[in-house]
Amino acid sequence: MRKRISSRGILPGFGLTMGYALIYLSLLVLIPLSILFLKTSNMSWEQLWMTVTDQRVLVSFRVSFLTAFCAACVNAVFGVLVAWVLERYQFPGKRIIDGIVDLPFALPTAVAGIALASIYSENGWIGQIFASWGIKIAYTPIGIFIALTFIGLPFVVRTVQPVLQDWDRQIEEAARTLGATRLQTFLRVIVPYLLPAIMTGFALAFARALGEYGSVVFISGNMPLQTEIVPLLIMTKLEQFDYLGATAIASVMLIASFLMLLLINFLQWKTNKFDAAR
């Protein structure tokens, strides 16, 4: 009897639920991505290389990855700041601000793009101020960076917030009794504890920014070799009925994104392992 009980799964219905989970992931993730690579395999290596190394494609990759990385870095800093304020302080309108953080999740990306383009254009409320200084925001990489920062901020805030809720403040008091200043306590005690969550939020914001289309297409200007992002270039290829070219660019984008996420997850795993060993 004991042997029979121990051989059973801990969760009832594990085999059935696992089967449904695999089918669900296969239909939504694995099969579509496999078709993408299968479609790309119809191209020869020479055709694939010529497609992905075209100057217009390379510039689009640079614009997408650079602006997404910069936006994720900024969100990693200010997202922690916003999460810290929302968790540590009580002030009027806190619930409203807490709800505004989730606005990019619910707001249609096209609406966000139109709003950002209107505000940061040369005739907009904020854009005209910078225009008087000779700085153009809309229809430049700066505008793309702002749009990607806007849609990526909630990922960092909502990832760091639960970790701050579980933080034991007695550790801070112990650090202060040992002579640590507020800055030393934050940098040497709190930040290492938050680092895995920050890296996770950074990865989510970076991945979200790489695939963003709706909020960027209105503020970028869509100028080839200047402000054209990879998702827009893929759409352009599809409109020109160049399906092989579109799938080739999408495959490279997918592989690059996967490698970046894999690297970040590896660094996060090493950080957790190092913290557990201390």
Side-chain angles (χ1 to χ4, degrees):
M1 177 65 71
R2 292 181 179 177
K3 190 174 182 180
R4 182 180 300 177
I5 294 176
S6 61
S7 63
R8 297 176 58 186
I10 298 176
L11 295 177
F14 171 76
L16 182 62
T17 54
M18 185 64 176
Y20 278 122
L22 291 177
I23 293 174
Y24 184 80
L25 290 175
S26 298
L27 292 176
L28 293 182
V29 180
L30 298 180
I31 294 178
L33 296 183
S34 300
I35 296 298
L36 180 65
F37 288 110
L38 183 62
K39 187 73 174 178
T40 306
S41 65
N42 294 327
M43 303 178 65
S44 64
W45 285 107
E46 184 178 357
Q47 291 176 326
L48 178 63
W49 180 255
M50 291 181 60
T51 300
V52 299
T53 57
D54 182 73
Q55 183 182 6
R56 182 178 178 183
V57 177
L58 292 178
V59 173
S60 298
F61 276 121
R62 183 180 64 190
V63 171
S64 293
F65 277 92
L66 184 60
T67 53
F69 180 79
C70 293
C73 289
V74 171
N75 283 328
V77 175
F78 289 95
V80 174
L81 179 62
V82 173
W84 181 272
V85 171
L86 292 176
E87 288 300 321
R88 286 302 183 95
Y89 303 105
Q90 298 294 332
F91 52 89
K94 176 180 177 179
R95 292 186 177 181
I96 297 177
I97 296 178
D98 192 43
I100 291 176
V101 171
D102 292 328
L103 190 60
F105 285 148
L107 191 67
T109 55
V111 176
I114 294 174
L116 292 174
S118 301
I119 294 175
Y120 289 100
S121 64
E122 293 185 357
N123 298 325
W125 295 347
I126 301 177
Q128 62 182 352
I129 299 176
F130 287 91
S132 61
W133 299 337
I135 301 175
K136 186 178 181 181
I137 296 180
Y139 317 122
T140 66
I142 301 176
I144 300 175
F145 163 76
I146 292 175
L148 298 182
T149 304
F150 170 79
I151 58 101
L153 179 63
F155 291 96
V156 180
V157 176
R158 295 312 183 203
T159 305
V160 175
Q161 242 181 330
V163 181
L164 282 175
Q165 292 176 354
D166 297 335
W167 171 253
D168 188 0
R169 295 195 180 185
Q170 292 181 355
I171 301 177
E172 296 180 42
E173 297 176 359
R176 292 179 183 177
T177 57
L178 294 175
T181 62
R182 291 185 176 182
L183 183 60
Q184 290 175 335
T185 302
F186 180 77
L187 294 179
R188 297 186 179 182
V189 179
I190 299 177
V191 170
Y193 178 78
L194 297 177
L195 188 58
I198 296 174
M199 295 179 65
T200 301
F202 172 86
L204 293 174
F206 179 72
R208 178 70 176 86
L210 281 180
E212 179 60 21
Y213 176 79
S215 62
V216 178
V217 70
F218 292 99
I219 197 174
S220 65
N222 309 320
M223 293 178 286
L225 302 177
Q226 295 184 33
T227 60
E228 189 176 42
I229 58 175
V230 176
L232 176 63
L233 182 58
I234 294 174
M235 290 294 299
T236 303
K237 293 284 186 181
L238 292 175
E239 292 174 354
Q240 296 173 351
F241 302 102
D242 186 6
Y243 299 117
L244 289 179
T247 55
I249 298 173
S251 299
V252 174
M253 192 74 168
L254 177 62
I255 294 173
S257 302
F258 177 77
L259 291 177
M260 290 295 296
L261 291 176
L262 186 64
L263 175 62
I264 293 172
N265 288 329
F266 174 76
L267 294 176
Q268 182 181 353
W269 172 75
K270 292 290 289 186
T271 303
N272 291 333
K273 185 178 180 180
F274 176 75
D275 292 339
R278 285 195 302 176

